[in-house]
Amino acid sequence: MEHVKNQPGFTDQSLIRNFCIIAHIDHGKSTVADRILQLSGIVPQREMHDRFLDRMDIEQERGITIKSQAVRLPWVKDGTEYTLGMIDTPGHVDFTYEVSRALEACEGAVLLVDATQGIEAQTLSNLYMALDDDLTIIPVLNKIDLPSAEPDKHAEEIANLIGCDLDQVLRVSGKTGEGVHELVDRIVEEVPPPQGDPKAPARALIFDSVYDSYRGIVTYIRMMDGELKTRRKIRMMSLGTVHDPIELGVISPDMIPTKALGAGEVGYVITGVKDVSQSKVGDTVTDEARPADEPLPGYQDPQPMVYSGLFPIDNAQFPELRDALDKLKLNDAALVYEPETSVALGFGFRCGFLGLLHMEIVTERLSREFDMDLIATAPNVTYQVTMEDGTELLVKNPSEFPEGKVKKITEPVVNADIITPKEFIGSVMELCQDHRGQMGTMEYLSPDRVEMHYTMPLAEIVFDFFDQLKSRTKGYASLDYQSAGSRSADLVKVDILIQGEKIDAFSAIVHKDKAYSYGVMMTKKLRRLIPRQQFEIPIQAAIGSRIIARETISALRKDVLAKCYGGDITRKRKLLEKQKAGKKRMKMLGHVQVPQEAFIAALSTEQATDRDTKDKIRAAAKKEG
């Protein structure tokens, strides 16, 4: 059968150009992708909307890209029709794993820089990843239409960074479309075609997947060698499973079935399988009739940076939460989880995330897509604890912290790269020192922009460091960080006791210097959040057996003297003593019920002091009786 020129499934390999768009968050990747979609003509004008490739509601609402999206486009240059495989990637540091997987499916990368802000931390991080993969880099300045744009200044920064001439830095506006046509022509000229062998046994890399409740697992693949055809059985090489695909196709921008996928093409395969364990990101797909000898290298498993417990508010939902996490893991390969039990919260999962935003997005997606009502415990990192007898323990949860004499505790540290205008150097240095940072080097990217390198404990970064950095630098600073091993630190476990009983969900491992302030903060917060009972409730913070902070919730008292309008004082004293004895007996027998709303508010990083939260807690307490 003769190949039909440039039709899906029969594309001439030399006419394929696979590229992705990489940048720091909010530098206009999705807007430029919108203009490229419009210019290619595959999206009718009446169907076009802003951030077209951001398919999730949460992406549209927040204005950020969470998932990489691949799309196939036609492009005509000098009378020749080319096929472009474009991938729009996220910009936030928490979704770096998405970017790394997208880079593996491309031969070129468009490095986008905001003409008003210049090079930022994640710009450098993504650039270095692309260079490590030997991708062709096309430097582009975006937002040149804005009054505050400084294209000449920032073009010089980019040219110095990647070692190119000033006239090689393209200038575009994603909003108006200026320069976008020239950008796509440049991609066609400079990005090399895929190098795979079209006659070799089929090898395709799985770079993403998603669960469809009707069709099962939809697997997104990049063909490296050979050809996959419909009605031909395929094998997942690492899992060893064999499937009969019900559909092969490309995304342009919706799913279009094809008869085959050839070397260099990006597409999808649907097997109809609904068992989520049958697909793994990074696996190699091959033809069962003519299998490949060696699988593709795949991806390095991501290392979680932050851990948090996810517990269903209704414990009967535990099996549903497990199924929801299994399905979400298909679409979010960076998510790691294992079962966990808490005395206070029941059954749940200890989940590993790449950062706080990643944790927030996963929790939100579980709530929206799977209708789960969850409590997320305060995020923490993993510690290595060495006991006096030489025993070593890995502590992912404060409740796992061992009793007895501890010889050494090591905590994970990161290399943080902060880019800021020079007038904020003092504020940034003060902030980093407050968070136990050790300064490394400092380099000037331009006369008024500085890159500062710090080594910091990961635990100090995951809470509110980024928010404080933005507020101290008027929003101009940017942050990127990479794991840098671990180092020993003077850490202690702070327990929270309510009426003498440890509540494991509120325990935390903190630096010795900050233990007192954490204890005071948590006891005060819980005193506001826990409803008053008929007896007095002590709330204490302790390190081991030593109490470091205490708050007391006073008892609700009935006015037993209301009926006494006079008479002897002994009668009043007798009634008060009787009430006192009753309170004492109630305190011995009574059990403090912490309402779920109080757990949610106390475990969140926000100060839950607003009236609405308190009203909800009081209403919940009244309902519980």
Side-chain angles (χ1 to χ4, degrees), residues 76-88:
V76 178
K77 182 177 185 296
D78 299 333
T80 305
E81 187 177 332
Y82 293 86
T83 295
L84 307 183
M86 179 176 72
I87 302 181
D88 181 26

Side-chain angles (χ1 to χ4, degrees), residues 416-418 438-443 450-455:
D417 303 321
I418 300 167
Q438 292 180 356
M439 189 168 184
T441 58
M442 188 167 76
E443 302 149 14
V450 179
E451 183 177 14
M452 304 166 75
H453 304 280
Y454 270 89
T455 303

Side-chain angles (χ1 to χ4, degrees), residues 226-242:
E227 190 175 49
L228 288 178
K229 295 182 179 179
T230 53
R231 309 297 181 192
R232 292 271 291 269
K233 289 188 177 181
I234 59 171
R235 174 187 287 273
M236 307 288 186
M237 292 188 76
S238 74
L239 296 172
T241 54
V242 178

Side-chain angles (χ1 to χ4, degrees), residues 23 37 48 96 108 120 148 179 213 225 239 241 246 275 338 386 419 422 424 438 457 470 522 527 556 574 578 595:
L37 286 173
M48 192 67 200
T96 302
E120 300 204 51
S148 56
S213 54
D225 299 314
L239 296 172
T241 54
I246 59 175
D275 180 0
E338 59 186 28
T386 307
I419 296 178
K422 65 180 182 181
F424 301 116
Q438 292 180 356
K470 282 290 187 185
M522 281 303 290
R527 182 173 66 83
L556 285 169
K574 182 182 174 183
K578 186 179 177 183

